[in-house]
Amino acid sequence: MTAADVIEPREPKYYLVKRHLLELIESLEPGALVPTERELTATLATSRTTVRQALGELVGEGRLVRRQGSGTYVAEPKMTWPLQMTSFTEQAAANGFVAGARLLSAERMRGTGEAATRLRLLPGAYMYRIERLRLADDTPMAVETSHLSVARFPGLIKALRKSSSLYRVLEASYGVIPLTAEETIETRAAPPREAALLGTDTGAPMLVLGRHSFEADGTPVEWVRSWYRGDRYTFVARLTTRG
Amino acid sequence: MTAADVIEPREPKYYLVKRHLLELIESLEPGALVPTERELTATLATSRTTVRQALGELVGEGRLVRRQGSGTYVAEPKMTWPLQMTSFTEQAAANGFVAGARLLSAERMRGTGEAATRLRLLPGAYMYRIERLRLADDTPMAVETSHLSVARFPGLIKALRKSSSLYRVLEASYGVIPLTAEETIETRAAPPREAALLGTDTGAPMLVLGRHSFEADGTPVEWVRSWYRGDRYTFVARLTTRG
DNA sequence: CTTCTAAAGTGGACTAGACGAATCGAATGG
DNA sequence: CCATTCGATTCGTCTAGTCCACTTTAGAAG
């Protein structure tokens, strides 16, 4: 190892294109049109593939928006999304939005895999698998798949068709109030279905949020997995040192 | 709109390849070798570009590891990284690791941009910009860029060369204890420098964590931006309903 | 037997181009 | 004047290939 011990990264050509575009973006307003892929290919003396790689990353980071048949535009700034509360409905309200939900699917099935483990289901016990498109002011925000025990919440699906807030139903119909939750956050590429529902492209970077919520006595209530568009949202958590 | 109102996503060819590979991965152990890109190209009757797109997403999701000149392997499971505490050193300890840091750069500069605003610097006031590679058991975990006010913490850089824990220095030398923090989480593509430092590829999906910490009276202490490899870590936060 | 060297094989980066799908606007027909 | 059609233009997907960097391994040289 040399004395300096400095790693010298070599810059791929597409990254030069990306930096060029980033400068351009910063000189423009949201909504402004950027040059077409073929124009950039010509002016930057590269291939369209390379240009598209740079554009693709900028789209994934929420700096650009591509519209097939139309062009590529400077994107609006990202939205922040607070994580502090446990319910989507409360989160949306805290952010000044009206929360909504469109039921995509609801089924009863035998508990399997991670969901069954997290819900502490007995072998062979049934669970709900409820898939909903979460809306804020009627704009699709997330695809949410909830898992709950059938035995603990009989008739849940029927109740859910009337209210868009699962937590409100849990409290009103079953007297269950989740007090603590463990949230996991990771990055994933968008599957075709989630991409279509959220109006983005397959493979687009997503923030995947898992929520495992518990009652006061430690009984697990639900296990949810939510897909958010990574180009649209920045999650915010407020932390305090305990003790 | 039809009665069903169902969005029918069409699956790109690369996604079929991805699903095929995912099945293969699930039948193998971590460390196992998967077929070469050229083999997959032949057996799946597609182009190498398409195969590489599928492989690239699986690498970004932490399911595969590519080693140039060697091959592509099934990856070890992701690590979870708790967000609850405010200091990297404490986080690492809570996870059973010995935290470390390698100082990459430390400079005094005039406050500009977001950092100056968040630190509430007066116009023209100086700030530190300290860049460190954070290590857990000597493995690079994150690239961390901290900003602090020079006026509030004179001589900070010299103190930091002795201790790897910024928070310990702040408490011991200046009597400052950050009590609350606002953390932001988003996805970004790895720049060449961060990628090289963390041993991944330019453009790889990253989790970028911003921490804005405050004293009890609301005075801002520091503004940090940390880059974590998205293919390696899942963040975990433990939440409680307040009130 | 050990060490070195060269070749083969791997992933990494990039190119040039074909065709499809969506958009938009101009020309056309009513 | 309005609505429709159609074509040009845009991004979306996929192909086939080149050249490079790095690793591994087998063979040659000592």
Side-chain angles (χ1 to χ4, degrees):
Chain A
M1 189 70 77
T2 67
D5 191 14
V6 170
I7 300 174
E8 184 72 36
R10 59 174 236 312
E11 183 181 73
K13 188 170 183 179
Y14 95 85
Y15 207 84
L16 190 138
V17 176
K18 184 178 176 182
R19 286 196 291 108
H20 172 86
L21 285 166
L22 213 41
E23 261 185 55
L24 177 62
I25 289 169
E26 272 155 13
S27 72
L28 297 173
E29 295 293 309
L33 195 60
V34 303
T36 70
E37 295 177 353
R38 275 147 179 117
E39 274 173 14
L40 290 166
T41 299
T43 62
L44 299 175
T46 181
S47 70
R48 206 180 140 211
T49 312
T50 300
V51 168
R52 277 185 64 78
Q53 189 174 359
L55 288 170
E57 282 192 9
L58 289 164
V59 168
E61 294 178 344
R63 307 300 302 264
L64 291 176
V65 174
R66 284 198 279 216
R67 283 213 291 276
Q68 185 176 359
S70 175
T72 306
Y73 304 84
V74 177
E76 300 287 332
K78 280 191 187 184
M79 281 183 47
T80 59
W81 192 248
L83 292 182
Q84 205 64 331
M85 322 220 167
T86 43
S87 147
F88 182 93
T89 307
E90 284 178 57
Q91 282 177 345
N95 230 3
F97 292 104
V98 176
R102 184 153 76 80
L103 197 60
L104 298 173
S105 72
E107 49 176 342
R108 294 157 47 119
M109 58 190 295
R110 281 197 193 277
T112 52
E114 186 176 9
T117 309
R118 299 194 97 118
L119 294 176
R120 289 194 209 132
L121 293 184
L122 298 175
Y126 280 83
M127 66 182 184
Y128 296 112
R129 185 180 173 280
I130 298 163
E131 198 179 30
R132 297 187 297 168
L133 182 64
R134 303 309 315 243
L135 312 167
D137 287 357
D138 291 322
T139 305
M141 279 215 57
V143 177
E144 200 177 82
T145 308
S146 307
H147 297 264
L148 297 98
S149 162
V150 170
R152 284 195 67 209
F153 306 107
L156 178 64
I157 291 178
K158 188 176 288 181
L160 251 192
R161 295 192 194 279
K162 295 183 182 160
S163 169
S164 69
S165 172
L166 172 62
Y167 275 50
R168 212 160 286 159
V169 169
L170 290 184
E171 183 174 357
S173 303
Y174 306 94
V176 169
I177 303 178
L179 266 191
T180 63
E182 188 180 274
E183 296 213 321
T184 60
I185 302 165
E186 59 185 336
T187 60
R188 294 284 296 278
R193 176 180 167 77
E194 278 74 7
L197 286 166
L198 296 174
T200 187
D201 295 324
T202 301
M206 307 282 279
L207 283 167
V208 181
L209 204 142
R211 186 170 60 237
H212 194 196
S213 60
F214 305 87
E215 288 186 85
D217 63 356
T219 314
V221 176
E222 62 159 359
W223 162 240
V224 193
R225 177 163 282 255
S226 308
W227 293 73
Y228 289 80
R229 286 176 57 167
D231 59 342
R232 282 270 177 86
Y233 305 109
T234 301
F235 289 157
V236 184
R238 197 161 267 107
L239 306 178
T240 314
T241 52
R242 43 206 184 175
Chain B
M1 190 68 75
T2 68
D5 192 13
V6 170
I7 300 174
E8 183 73 33
R10 58 175 237 310
E11 183 181 73
K13 187 170 185 179
Y14 94 86
Y15 207 83
L16 190 138
V17 177
K18 185 178 175 182
R19 286 196 291 107
H20 172 86
L21 285 165
L22 214 41
E23 262 184 54
L24 177 62
I25 290 169
E26 272 156 12
S27 73
L28 297 173
E29 295 293 308
L33 195 60
V34 303
T36 69
E37 297 178 352
R38 281 154 177 107
E39 274 173 14
L40 290 166
T41 299
T43 61
L44 299 176
T46 181
S47 71
R48 207 178 140 209
T49 311
T50 300
V51 167
R52 277 185 64 79
Q53 188 174 0
L55 289 170
E57 282 192 9
L58 289 164
V59 168
E61 293 177 345
R63 307 299 302 264
L64 292 175
V65 174
R66 285 198 277 215
R67 282 213 292 277
Q68 185 175 0
S70 175
T72 305
Y73 304 84
V74 177
E76 299 288 332
K78 279 190 187 185
M79 281 183 47
T80 58
W81 193 247
L83 292 182
Q84 205 66 328
M85 323 220 167
T86 43
S87 146
F88 181 93
T89 306
E90 284 178 54
Q91 282 178 346
N95 230 4
F97 293 103
V98 176
R102 184 154 74 82
L103 197 60
L104 298 173
S105 72
E107 50 177 341
R108 295 158 44 120
M109 58 190 294
R110 281 198 191 278
T112 52
E114 185 176 10
T117 309
R118 298 194 98 118
L119 295 176
R120 290 195 207 130
L121 293 184
L122 298 175
Y126 280 83
M127 66 182 185
Y128 296 111
R129 184 180 175 282
I130 298 162
E131 199 179 29
R132 297 187 297 169
L133 182 63
R134 302 310 314 245
L135 312 167
D137 287 355
D138 291 322
T139 305
M141 279 215 55
V143 177
E144 201 178 82
T145 308
S146 308
H147 297 264
L148 297 97
S149 161
V150 170
R152 283 195 67 211
F153 306 106
L156 177 64
I157 291 178
K158 188 176 288 182
L160 251 192
R161 295 193 195 277
K162 295 184 181 160
S163 168
S164 70
S165 171
L166 173 62
Y167 275 49
R168 212 159 287 160
V169 169
L170 291 184
E171 183 174 357
S173 304
Y174 308 94
V176 170
I177 303 178
L179 265 191
T180 63
E182 189 180 275
E183 295 212 322
T184 60
I185 302 164
E186 59 186 336
T187 60
R188 293 285 295 277
R193 177 178 166 76
E194 278 74 8
L197 286 166
L198 297 174
T200 188
D201 296 324
T202 301
M206 308 282 279
L207 283 167
V208 181
L209 204 143
R211 186 170 60 239
H212 194 198
S213 60
F214 304 87
E215 286 187 85
D217 63 356
T219 314
V221 176
E222 61 159 358
W223 161 241
V224 193
R225 176 163 282 255
S226 308
W227 292 73
Y228 289 80
R229 286 177 56 167
D231 59 342
R232 283 269 177 85
Y233 305 109
T234 300
F235 289 156
V236 184
R238 198 161 267 106
L239 306 178
T240 314
T241 52
R242 44 209 185 171

